[in-house]
């Protein structure tokens, strides 16, 4: 046994004890007649004092981040350090053993506030994980997972593992394919989600299922989305409605947040916002409710306007209370932001309602007395407010206005601090137009359409709503779910509208299609994203900071050097030839 105590847990009660300690050298200070070592393990830091000449000579060869074992006596410190948990004591060493020597030159300083290039950190992730903040994020992750499991167990959910090698399924992203050695020319797919399996478990008579499920999607990385793989709290319930699912989320999610943060956490029931309303008011289906700004449609006000930029366009307005106090530079910077390639606006019109009753700046000359009066009486514009206008094709105007709203909230420091605000986005469209102009599933192909088979037969596809919902927290999609389609006739018709034949359904979803012929209960569920929830609890904006071994922005694992080239023999084994 290399240690009798953890380094961060020693205190005055241990004075006079002989101890064995092991950890990493955080800092060495050689003061001539005395050498001090700050020794670190997962629990904290203790100061080690080396007085003996022989041990001091040995200490000269030690390097920071080397792993050592020491024996010594706990004594009271003469100069106490209130910034350290162990600052009232120190250990006088009488034996030092090097367990693992570290190179003299580290690729980067580990416990420092200095910025380190992320790709270098990921290449040496085993060192990066020694950083206290990052290390604690991974410990937090472990505690959150345990809390989730305990809560789901308390709610009588049964944990069941579903396969990793599965079949290809259209669930919104490209599949990762795994070639079969035994079955030449055939492929498994890594599951984008356990969607079909959890529905099959409902057919099998399990009342409530859950698992901490790995999901694999070939998607482009983002700051809030891990490339390749992620984890979700997958759960499903038989004989359940949308409201039943909401009650579970409203019990589980606040419980976890409250346990690991001192921020204010919304209590259930959470606000319900229809998808259409979310797009109209916030320009996005994951609105940050900490931002008080609202988008309003003012198209009708400018139907007879002489302003050519607004002609035959949808016009959206964002009213900023007390925004008139901002100088011209602020408005110019906002215009620069709106016209970036990422946002895509052709321009950003604006005006200010000054406290003296005049209208200044931007498009002031196009704000007639009639429009001014309407803005004041119908839209609540007051003296001292400013207005930003976005004019474009309907859907593009919504998107641009949504991005401008978010940016205004940041730049004007309007975002409410230290609070988690939740809402459910409901009534998603069942279908949407693809980039090619064809009908495609909007959210989840296995969802129940509102109105059932009749809606599929009689309504225009783009007018059909589904029992689909997202949980949103502080502007992030935190969970996604749906009431499932459990009727084979409705399933076939739903896929038919999206361009699939009944034969396609039988071939691609044969197990589900077949199971639905044998007495399927109504069922519903959801899947909160584990990585994103922990990112929010840790108050981070980078999802890679709460994952032990993440891939970088280009979906590469720099530590393990994946993806990589494999040998010709490995390719031959799975019947694959690389196309030059």
């Amino acid at each position: 046994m290399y240690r009798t105590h953890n380094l961060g847990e020693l205190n005055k009660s241990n004075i006079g004890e002989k101890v064995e300690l092991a950890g990493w050298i955080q800092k060495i200070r050689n003061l001539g007649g005395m050498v001090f070592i700050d020794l670190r393990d997962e629990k904290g830091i203790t100061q080690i004092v080396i007085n003996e000449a022989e041990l001091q000579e040995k200490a000269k060869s030690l390097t920071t981040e080397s792993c050592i074992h020491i024996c010594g006596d706990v004594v009271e410190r003469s100069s106490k350090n209130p910034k350290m948990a162990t600052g009232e004591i120190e250990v006088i060493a009488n034996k030092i053993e090097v367990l693992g020597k570290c190179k003299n030159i580290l690729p980067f300083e580990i416990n420092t506030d200095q910025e380190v290039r992320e790709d270098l950190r990921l290449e040496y992730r085993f060192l990066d994980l020694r950083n206290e903040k990052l290390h604690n994020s991974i410990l937090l992750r472990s505690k959150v997972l345990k809390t989730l499991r305990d809560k789901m167990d308390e709610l009588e959910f049964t944990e069941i593992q579903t396969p990793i090698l599965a079949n290809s399924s259209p669930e919104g992203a490209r599949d990762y394919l795994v070639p079969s050695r035994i079955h030449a020319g055939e492929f498994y797919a890594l599951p984008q989600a356990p969607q079909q399996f959890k529905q099959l478990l409902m057919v099998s008579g399990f009342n409530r299922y859950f698992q901490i499920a790995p999901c694999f999607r070939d998607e482009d990385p983002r700051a809030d989305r891990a490339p390749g793989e992620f984890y979700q709290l997958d759960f499903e319930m038989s004989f359940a409605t949308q409201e039943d699912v909401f009650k579970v989320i409203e019990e589980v999610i606040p419980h976890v947040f409250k346990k690991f943060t001192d921020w204010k956490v919304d209590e259930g029931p959470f606000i319900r916002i229809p998808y259409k309303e979310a797009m109209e008011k916030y320009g996005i289906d994951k609105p940050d409710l900490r931002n008080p700004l609202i988008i309003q449609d003012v198209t009708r006000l400018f139907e007879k306007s002489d302003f050519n930029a607004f002609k035959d366009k949808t016009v959206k307005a964002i009213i900023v209370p007390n925004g008139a106090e901002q100088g011209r530079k602020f408005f110019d910077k906002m215009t620069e932001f709106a016209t970036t390639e990422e946002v895509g606006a052709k321009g950003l019109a604006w005006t200010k309602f000054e406290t003296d009753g005049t209208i200044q700046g931007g498009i002031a000359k196009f704000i007639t007395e009639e429009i001014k009066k309407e803005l004041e009486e119908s839209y609540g514009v007051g003296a001292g407010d400013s207005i930003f206008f976005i004019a474009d094709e309907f859907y593009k105007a919504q998107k641009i206005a949504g991005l401008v709203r978010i940016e205004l909230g940041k730049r004007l420091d309007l975002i409410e601090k230290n609070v988690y605000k939740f809402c459910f986005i409901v009534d998603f469209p069942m279908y949407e137009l693809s980039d090619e102009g064809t009908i495609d599933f909007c959210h989840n192909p296995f969802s129940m359409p509102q109105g059932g088979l009749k809606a599929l037969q009689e309504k225009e596809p783009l007018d059909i709503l589904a029992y689909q919902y997202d949980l949103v927290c502080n502007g992030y999609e935190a969970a996604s779910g749906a009431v499932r389609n459990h009727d084979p006739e409705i399933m076939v018709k739903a896929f038919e509208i999206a361009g699939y034949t009944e034969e396609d359904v039988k071939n691609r979803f044969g197990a589900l299609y077949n199971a639905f012929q044998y007495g399927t209960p109504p069922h519903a569920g959801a899947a909160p994203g584990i990585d994103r929830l922990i990112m929010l609890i840790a108050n981070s904006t980078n999802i890679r900071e709460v994952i032990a071994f993440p891939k970088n922005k280009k979906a590469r694992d720099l530590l393990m050097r994946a993806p990589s080239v494999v040998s010709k023999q490995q390719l031959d084994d799975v019947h694959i030839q690389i196309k030059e």
Side-chain angles (χ1 to χ4, degrees):
M1 184 69 181
Y2 285 107
R3 53 187 177 183
T4 55
H5 292 77
N6 290 313
L7 287 163
E9 295 173 348
L10 291 172
N11 55 50
K12 289 182 75 172
S13 69
N14 300 109
I15 291 172
E17 290 183 15
K18 294 187 179 297
V19 294
E20 292 191 47
L21 305 172
W24 289 265
I25 298 173
Q26 176 132 321
K27 190 184 293 182
I28 302 176
R29 301 183 301 285
N30 191 336
L31 303 183
M34 201 176 285
V35 176
F36 294 93
I37 291 174
D38 286 350
L39 195 61
R40 180 192 77 241
D41 67 7
E42 190 172 88
K43 299 294 185 180
I45 299 172
T46 292
Q47 179 171 280
I48 311 300
V49 183
I50 303 172
N51 292 325
E52 296 179 18
E54 186 179 334
L55 291 181
Q56 286 186 8
E57 194 62 33
K58 188 171 186 177
K60 289 179 182 178
S61 66
L62 298 176
T63 56
T64 56
E65 294 305 319
S66 288
C67 188
I68 64 171
H69 167 230
I70 75 111
C71 298
D73 301 298
V74 182
V75 300
E76 186 172 1
R77 283 180 67 160
S78 56
S79 57
K80 297 177 174 54
N81 184 351
K83 294 180 181 179
M84 286 177 64
T86 59
E88 291 189 301
I89 58 95
E90 59 192 10
V91 176
I92 308 296
N94 52 52
K95 178 184 175 185
I96 299 176
E97 178 187 2
V98 177
L99 301 176
K101 186 172 174 59
C102 180
K103 284 184 176 182
N104 285 326
I105 300 175
L106 290 165
F108 53 84
E109 288 297 320
I110 291 167
N111 283 288
T112 176
D113 294 331
Q114 186 179 345
E115 282 289 322
V116 180
R117 183 167 53 87
E118 187 180 56
D119 276 1
L120 183 63
R121 290 174 52 210
L122 294 179
E123 183 181 352
Y124 290 90
R125 190 64 164 182
F126 52 88
L127 289 178
D128 195 30
L129 286 166
R130 292 184 189 177
N131 177 279
E132 183 180 14
K133 183 179 178 183
L134 181 58
H135 197 93
N136 286 340
S137 292
I138 304 305
L139 295 177
L140 169 67
R141 185 187 182 99
S142 173
K143 293 170 186 173
V144 169
L145 293 180
K146 182 181 185 304
T147 302
L148 285 169
R149 279 195 167 95
D150 289 346
K151 190 64 178 177
M152 297 305 282
D153 183 61
E154 179 189 316
L155 295 175
E156 298 185 339
F157 282 82
T158 302
E159 185 169 8
I160 305 174
Q161 282 73 46
T162 55
I164 296 300
L165 293 176
N167 63 322
S168 180
S169 173
E171 293 183 36
R174 293 183 183 90
D175 287 320
Y176 279 102
L177 301 177
V178 181
S180 170
R181 176 184 60 83
I182 298 171
H183 306 285
E186 296 183 329
F187 294 80
Y188 301 100
L190 303 183
Q192 292 189 31
Q195 183 65 51
Q196 294 183 67
F197 291 112
K198 64 183 176 186
Q199 291 192 249
L200 289 168
L201 287 170
M202 299 299 100
V203 182
S204 302
F206 291 97
N207 189 39
R208 291 184 161 200
Y209 138 91
F210 91 98
Q211 69 172 316
I212 306 294
C215 302
F216 305 89
R217 297 181 187 177
D218 189 359
E219 297 177 303
D220 294 332
R222 294 192 315 231
D224 69 330
R225 182 170 69 195
E229 59 190 291
F230 61 94
Y231 285 81
Q232 62 188 33
L233 173 65
D234 204 54
F235 73 89
E236 199 77 12
M237 303 187 291
S238 289
F239 308 106
T241 65
Q242 178 170 286
E243 284 301 316
D244 294 322
V245 175
F246 287 178
K247 285 175 184 175
V248 170
I249 291 175
E250 288 164 346
E251 183 164 351
V252 173
I253 300 302
H255 169 74
V256 175
F257 273 73
K258 285 178 182 177
K259 185 168 182 177
F260 296 106
T261 179
D262 57 2
W263 287 14
K264 182 182 176 184
V265 179
D266 271 358
E267 297 275 4
F270 301 148
I271 298 167
R272 273 80 159 157
I273 305 173
Y275 171 84
K276 186 177 180 180
E277 180 186 331
M279 296 305 294
E280 288 174 353
K281 291 174 67 174
Y282 308 107
I284 195 169
D285 61 2
K286 44 179 184 276
D288 187 347
L289 299 185
R290 298 173 302 166
N291 182 345
L293 298 178
I294 300 295
I295 299 164
Q296 301 191 64
D297 195 300
V298 294
T299 306
R300 65 180 182 84
L301 299 189
F302 293 93
E303 286 174 347
K304 298 176 183 178
S305 172
D306 295 330
F307 190 35
N308 289 330
F310 284 7
K311 283 193 182 300
D312 302 319
K313 302 277 177 55
T314 294
V315 185
K316 299 290 183 181
I318 302 172
I319 299 161
V320 181
N322 303 314
E325 64 189 30
Q326 299 297 324
R328 178 61 187 253
K329 187 176 180 181
F330 176 82
F331 294 92
D332 290 343
K333 288 288 185 184
M334 281 304 305
T335 302
E336 284 178 23
F337 165 79
T339 52
T340 58
E341 185 178 347
E342 183 183 356
V343 180
K346 297 181 179 69
L348 184 64
W350 59 272
T351 191
K352 300 196 288 186
F353 280 43
E354 300 288 5
T355 52
D356 63 6
T358 62
I359 301 175
Q360 302 294 330
I363 62 164
K365 65 181 179 180
F366 296 105
I367 306 296
T368 64
E369 279 300 319
E370 184 182 354
I371 292 174
K372 178 177 182 288
K373 184 179 179 183
E374 189 74 12
L375 285 169
E376 290 172 337
E377 294 180 358
S378 300
Y379 295 88
V381 180
D385 295 346
S386 64
I387 314 174
F388 290 86
F389 298 96
I390 298 94
D392 214 307
E393 175 272 325
F394 179 76
Y395 291 108
K396 195 169 181 184
Q398 276 190 339
K399 172 183 173 286
I400 295 168
L403 294 172
V404 169
R405 171 186 174 269
I406 292 169
E407 192 67 16
L408 283 169
K410 291 177 182 175
R411 294 192 183 195
L412 294 171
D413 195 25
L414 299 176
I415 310 300
E416 189 178 351
K417 305 290 193 301
N418 300 337
V419 62
Y420 292 106
K421 285 189 172 290
F422 293 96
C423 66
F424 285 114
I425 306 299
V426 298
D427 300 339
F428 276 85
M430 185 79 180
Y431 301 100
E432 65 183 356
L433 283 178
S434 69
D435 293 338
E436 293 74 35
T438 58
I439 298 292
D440 203 354
F441 289 109
C442 177
H443 194 281
N444 184 309
F446 302 101
S447 303
M448 181 65 79
Q450 295 184 20
L453 185 61
K454 185 177 180 183
L456 297 178
Q457 292 171 334
E458 297 179 1
K459 285 190 172 185
E460 288 296 318
L462 298 181
D463 293 334
I464 300 169
L465 300 180
Y467 288 110
Q468 298 170 335
Y469 37 84
D470 283 352
L471 173 68
V472 175
C473 175
N474 290 5
Y476 292 95
E477 179 192 316
S480 188
V483 175
R484 315 303 180 186
N485 187 344
H486 68 280
D487 184 312
E489 188 179 0
I490 298 176
M491 181 183 180
V492 168
K493 183 62 180 177
F495 275 91
E496 179 189 304
I497 291 172
Y500 298 86
T501 65
E502 184 169 1
E503 203 58 35
D504 290 332
V505 175
K506 288 180 180 178
N507 289 335
R508 298 193 70 172
F509 317 110
L512 209 55
Y513 178 84
N514 187 39
F516 282 0
Q517 319 294 323
Y518 293 90
T520 305
H523 53 282
I530 297 289
D531 310 290
R532 202 168 286 166
L533 288 177
I534 297 170
M535 182 187 80
L536 285 163
I537 292 170
N539 191 26
S540 174
T541 56
N542 185 343
I543 206 162
R544 293 181 289 280
E545 295 300 293
V546 297
I547 299 171
F549 298 104
K551 294 169 180 60
N552 73 353
K553 295 175 184 177
K554 296 181 180 179
R556 283 195 173 276
D557 182 336
L558 299 177
L559 175 64
M560 304 305 290
R561 300 183 182 179
S564 60
V565 175
V566 297
S567 70
K568 184 177 184 304
Q569 181 60 55
Q570 287 173 290
L571 292 172
D572 289 343
D573 286 344
V574 291
H575 322 287
I576 284 182
Q577 183 176 352
I578 300 296
K579 188 176 181 180
E580 295 294 336

